[in-house]
Amino acid sequence: MPAFGPFDSFSDALQAACPLILGKPQATAGRPTGQNFQLRWRLSREYCAWLYYTPDRKYEMSMLAAGALHDDPQKRTCGLPATVDDARYAPESLGYVFVLHNHPYDNVLSDRDIRFIVDMAAEHGVTVKTHAGEVPLSIVAFFSLSDSLEHPPCDGFFQYIPATGELLRWLRGDNGWGRQVIGRVEWLDGTRYRIVRE
């Protein structure tokens, strides 16, 4: 992604990616209780990208994939390729760390989100080896709690980590980021799972 990074840590990369993605056209719909929410939701779009680790020990973000307006009023999707094409590096030298995307409002990860990252874990592995240790592959959904469409603040994100089953909600507060475990994904077999709420 031009003008993004590279970053020495994935946390710095996440903090930079959030406002970049939420700042895209129709990336947020505001609060469900806000004025014109239904219209904003119908017009909203999802954007997604890979955050990946390079042989230079840096974190980079792929180009964004943008979802089209969806026929189903309940769904927002974007078609993220399974791999990154970065001409500077051999394909097998890249480490896949996070699938990043936006949610137009503060709602939990969808069934599609969970299944996609599980498929990516099967393809790329559940962890990535970095110079600072192993980092678990996960999917992240950024959201804003504001009704502002021009410069929505990055208020938080949801995260699912297949390696641990944790379903997390991160919120930005006065003292930095706060982490809440909201549940665990328990797979019953190869296709069915349940979410056990905390």
Side-chain angles (χ1 to χ4, degrees):
M1 170 65 81
F4 181 88
F7 292 92
D8 293 325
S9 72
F10 67 77
S11 58
D12 288 346
L14 279 176
Q15 291 189 57
C18 188
L20 188 152
I21 292 175
L22 290 179
K24 294 297 177 189
Q26 286 90 39
T28 62
R31 293 168 296 165
T33 56
Q35 189 175 10
N36 298 322
F37 173 77
Q38 290 302 324
L39 174 62
R40 290 177 170 189
W41 167 248
R42 283 197 303 275
L43 296 175
S44 66
R45 298 178 74 182
E46 191 170 283
Y47 299 86
C48 52
W50 275 107
L51 186 71
Y52 60 101
Y53 185 72
T54 73
D56 294 335
R57 300 176 139 194
K58 302 288 185 184
Y59 292 90
E60 301 259 11
M61 188 169 73
S62 70
M63 298 293 285
L64 289 171
L69 292 177
H70 213 286
D71 292 338
D72 185 334
Q74 301 303 313
K75 294 182 180 175
R76 295 294 175 270
T77 60
C78 58
L80 184 66
T83 58
V84 173
D85 181 11
D86 188 329
R88 299 170 299 174
Y89 308 105
E92 67 278 3
S93 70
L94 300 179
Y96 293 84
V97 185
F98 298 126
V99 169
L100 307 175
H101 69 297
N102 62 296
H103 276 186
Y105 68 99
D106 174 15
N107 64 328
V108 297
L109 292 168
S110 68
D111 175 69
R112 183 181 173 95
D113 292 334
I114 289 170
R115 291 184 186 280
F116 182 75
I117 198 61
V118 167
D119 288 345
M120 294 301 96
E123 183 161 341
H124 301 298
V126 294
T127 60
V128 179
K129 289 182 181 175
T130 75
H131 68 280
E134 291 201 347
V135 178
L137 174 78
S138 63
I139 190 165
V140 165
F142 300 120
F143 62 84
S144 178
L145 299 173
S146 171
D147 283 325
S148 170
L149 297 184
E150 275 197 38
H151 300 289
C154 177
D155 292 311
F157 59 90
F158 289 94
Q159 180 180 23
Y160 169 54
I161 307 169
T164 64
E166 289 179 306
L167 195 55
L168 308 171
R169 184 174 190 249
W170 294 81
L171 281 176
R172 185 194 303 269
D174 294 337
N175 298 320
W177 288 93
R179 174 184 185 267
Q180 175 191 10
V181 179
I182 58 175
R184 293 188 183 277
V185 176
E186 293 184 354
W187 289 89
L188 306 174
D189 55 36
T191 60
R192 297 179 306 131
Y193 66 87
R194 65 179 180 176
I195 296 176
V196 179
R197 301 289 177 184
E198 292 288 312

